[in-house]
Amino acid sequence: MSSSIDVSIAVHADRRTGPYKPLWNWFGYDEPNYTYSEHGKKLLRELTELSPEPPLIRTHNLLTSGDGLPALKWGSTNAYTEDANGKPVYDWTVMDKIFDAYVEAGNIPLVQIGFTPEALSDFDGEYRHHWAPNDKYATITTGWTAPPNDLKKWGDLIEAWANHMADRYGRDVVESWPWEVWNEPDGHYWTGTIPQFCEMYDVSAKAVKRALPKARVGGPHVCGGFNSPKAQTFMREFLQHVVDHNSPIDFIAFHAKGNPVVYKDHVRMGIHKQLKDIDTHLGIINEFPSLRHLPIVIGESDPEGCAACSARYHPQNGYRNGPLYGVYVVESMLRTYELAARANLTIEGAVTWAFLFDDQPWFDGFRDLATNGVDKAVLNGFRMLGKLGGDWLETASTQRQPLADLVADGVRGAPDVNVVATRDDTGVSVLVYHYHDDDEAGPSAEVTITVDGWTGKAPALRHYRMDETHSNAFGVWKAMGSPQNPTRAQYAELEAAGQLAEIETVGAVAVDNGKILLRTTLPRQGVSLLRLEA
């Protein structure tokens, strides 16, 4: 194996190709009661600080019955109960704590309508699940997944909820929030039929519109794509129902998941599966010409399907603590733009299903953005995406792998050393990443970046990096001996290591006839953001 590979990158600073609109700053999680914990509020603020565009936050279980205490893949608000005479009783106490945290942090809620309160569930068995990371995933399917047994009471609940939110936060504010119906009804989250779901969707969407006429509503958030006939059937039948019944719909939502495995002695990512899921659903949407104008939300877009499935029990999830997760996110998000352009459709957002899990061991292999209040490397991948802005620029890389190859097979041979760039009023941002599906050592990339078409004075350079030795609190934690009870000094060191590292600062780079030449060594599973600012 050679010690490095030579990569030439071109950035044409005078060739704008269209406006840059972030689709990556959407996040979600199962457990709404983590939202208002100390660490939860801290992380919500950090998500707002990622970029000038506020993040959208999606969470499950907003109507689930329970005691308001978090557990893995579980949460509750107890918003709906009934008295002894079967009369509805609304209680927004826990709901308000969740949405107060979003509003205070500057987030935009992607308000999820679900799941069925216990008083409206006729499930033959337990209402609450008691899932653990070593259990079968299907054990989550209990009473909260049942179709509401009284759609009149259900619709009244949604309308009352929407009106309460408008009263608390302001009608104009709440009408600007997108609302969505349910989650993965083709899987373990719905025990009814497709027609029952469509009927429930219509009741829910119309209830929102009665309270908030200007609010946007969408669905159905099916999961899987190219290898899930059930998901494909569900999506087609739902969209046909929308067309046939003129159902209220303002965006179309689906999920996409990768498929990591343990290959020989290491984790091998399955990004091709995630990209195929996206491509398949875009193809289905294109089968309905009257809906092609609608924006699309990928309600969950992740390397695999279970954030709470710890790597302790699922070793294929061992990518989550270090830089591989971060560079995977960058790769998958940027390729999502390409898939949308190829399908001639608009993807408005792609939700990373990751937040945090309080009261868990340090770096325990959950798919989260922070552990015990310390940011993981993946969050620095998002921080670099947040430094893009303005208009896309034309770029090229001698090591850019074709989109078709990634969709077909992933990145299993030569690595993908790719680039995107944007230009705003004050400068140019160049994002370069070095990705491979295999989580094993590989040659670094010796990258030469030529920026042409530069006008004006010589710019300053700020170079940010996320890799094994930069912006990676996990590496620092391992070097400490993996403490489960860090000292105050160790905690401060870990917290600092979780921030985005700036590895190079130049007051004025040389410009020769409108050209700038930059060089860097980028390790495998590394990301650089080079900011040129006049």
Side-chain angles (χ1 to χ4, degrees):
M1 178 184 295
S2 63
S3 59
S4 64
I5 54 176
D6 293 327
V7 181
S8 295
I9 282 175
V11 175
H12 303 295
D14 56 352
R15 300 184 196 174
R16 302 177 190 246
T17 62
Y20 166 78
K21 296 180 180 179
L23 60 73
W24 52 266
N25 59 338
W26 300 51
F27 302 90
Y29 48 104
D30 291 69
E31 303 85 0
N33 307 107
Y34 288 142
T35 303
Y36 44 83
S37 72
E38 178 185 356
H39 290 155
K41 289 183 175 181
K42 175 186 177 183
L43 183 53
L44 291 175
R45 292 192 300 270
E46 289 185 300
L47 297 182
T48 299
E49 293 165 359
L50 292 175
S51 79
E53 297 289 334
L56 285 93
I57 312 294
R58 173 178 191 254
T59 189
H60 295 338
N61 292 301
L62 289 174
L63 295 175
T64 306
S65 300
D67 56 13
L69 297 177
L72 297 180
K73 295 195 69 63
W74 179 258
S76 59
T77 66
N78 223 41
Y80 180 92
T81 56
E82 294 181 358
D83 64 17
N85 298 316
K87 182 180 178 181
V89 177
Y90 304 141
D91 184 345
W92 311 115
T93 304
V94 177
M95 189 80 76
D96 290 347
K97 292 171 68 176
I98 295 167
F99 283 84
D100 284 356
Y102 294 149
V103 171
E104 290 166 6
N107 311 147
I108 297 175
L110 172 54
V111 187
Q112 184 182 131
I113 298 172
F115 298 113
T116 304
E118 189 168 13
L120 295 178
S121 173
D122 287 338
F123 188 82
D124 185 17
E126 279 193 283
Y127 175 78
R128 174 176 174 168
H129 72 68
H130 300 279
W131 180 88
N134 55 338
D135 290 339
K136 291 182 178 179
Y137 196 88
T139 60
I140 69 169
T141 304
T142 51
W144 58 275
T145 66
N149 58 25
D150 188 323
L151 286 178
K152 173 65 167 61
K153 290 181 176 178
W154 173 258
D156 289 347
L157 167 61
I158 306 309
E159 187 174 359
W161 179 22
N163 277 320
H164 170 76
M165 302 274 269
D167 291 342
R168 188 171 183 86
Y169 306 109
R171 184 165 300 277
D172 290 345
V173 170
V174 177
E175 283 194 320
S176 73
W177 299 345
W179 291 65
E180 59 178 17
V181 181
W182 220 258
N183 176 74
E184 298 185 3
D186 57 313
H188 299 299
Y189 290 76
W190 178 256
T191 56
T193 64
I194 298 176
Q196 283 178 305
F197 176 84
C198 292
E199 185 180 16
M200 185 273 295
Y201 174 87
D202 285 353
V203 169
S204 303
K206 290 174 181 177
V208 172
K209 297 284 191 179
R210 283 196 300 272
L212 305 167
K214 297 179 182 178
R216 298 191 301 143
V217 185
H221 283 284
V222 297
C223 187
F226 88 100
N227 65 346
S228 175
K230 185 176 181 181
Q232 295 175 33
T233 297
F234 207 114
M235 177 64 92
R236 286 190 174 95
E237 292 194 18
F238 172 78
L239 295 180
Q240 190 63 57
H241 170 87
V242 166
V243 171
D244 292 345
H245 295 82
N246 196 28
S247 301
I249 190 166
D250 301 291
F251 60 89
I252 301 170
F254 62 82
H255 297 176
K257 303 289 183 176
N259 183 39
V261 298
V262 175
Y263 176 75
K264 296 182 178 179
D265 59 347
H266 63 272
V267 172
R268 167 175 276 186
M269 305 302 286
I271 198 169
H272 64 294
K273 162 67 166 57
Q274 183 178 349
L275 299 178
K276 284 179 179 177
D277 281 354
I278 296 171
D279 204 37
T280 298
H281 281 299
L282 296 180
I284 292 172
I285 293 167
N286 266 326
E287 296 172 11
F288 295 84
S290 64
L291 302 178
R292 293 187 68 255
H293 68 286
L294 294 174
I296 295 160
V297 172
I298 308 177
E300 298 176 23
S301 195
D302 301 294
E304 33 65 39
C306 178
C309 293
S310 168
R312 180 187 301 186
Y313 302 102
H314 305 272
Q316 70 273 20
N317 295 337
Y319 70 89
R320 294 169 163 182
N321 287 326
L324 175 53
Y325 186 14
V327 68
Y328 181 102
V329 163
V330 170
E331 174 80 90
S332 63
M333 290 293 178
L334 295 176
R335 295 301 187 156
T336 297
Y337 284 102
E338 295 183 48
L339 289 171
R342 191 170 75 174
N344 197 27
L345 294 169
T346 300
I347 295 178
E348 180 180 1
V351 176
T352 291
W353 201 253
F355 191 58
L356 56 76
F357 297 89
D358 278 329
D359 302 318
Q360 299 294 336
W362 283 80
F363 295 102
D364 203 32
F366 292 101
R367 193 173 72 233
D368 48 12
L369 304 175
T371 177
N372 292 282
V374 169
D375 297 342
K376 287 188 172 182
V378 62
L379 202 54
N380 290 307
F382 288 111
R383 287 187 171 113
M384 283 186 274
L385 288 169
K387 293 184 180 299
L388 299 173
D391 293 319
W392 292 109
L393 295 177
E394 185 179 324
T395 62
S397 171
T398 57
Q399 197 64 31
R400 174 182 285 162
Q401 302 304 322
L403 176 63
D405 290 356
L406 264 72
V407 174
D409 300 310
V411 183
R412 303 290 171 83
D416 189 27
V417 186
N418 204 355
V419 60
V420 297
T422 58
R423 182 162 196 167
D424 56 38
D425 291 340
T426 61
V428 168
S429 294
V430 181
L431 190 152
V432 184
Y433 62 91
H434 184 177
Y435 173 76
H436 200 283
D437 277 344
D438 288 304
D439 190 17
E440 60 178 356
S444 295
E446 295 297 333
V447 182
T448 300
I449 304 168
T450 302
V451 181
D452 59 27
W454 184 268
T455 55
K457 67 179 182 179
L461 169 68
R462 301 183 72 178
H463 184 177
Y464 305 90
R465 169 68 59 80
M466 187 278 297
D467 59 25
E468 186 65 35
T469 58
H470 300 93
S471 312
N472 179 21
F474 182 52
V476 174
W477 180 73
K478 288 189 295 182
M480 288 178 176
S482 307
Q484 284 299 326
N485 295 290
T487 66
R488 181 175 298 183
Q490 287 176 320
Y491 189 93
E493 184 179 355
L494 290 169
E495 200 168 25
Q499 301 303 301
L500 181 59
E502 187 171 346
I503 65 169
E504 183 182 9
T505 304
V506 179
V509 298
V511 181
D512 182 8
N513 196 27
K515 289 186 177 181
I516 297 168
L517 193 64
L518 305 170
R519 290 187 174 88
T520 189
T521 300
L522 186 61
R524 178 184 280 200
Q525 319 305 20
V527 185
S528 273
L529 189 289
L530 298 99
R531 174 68 182 173
L532 295 166
E533 191 151 335

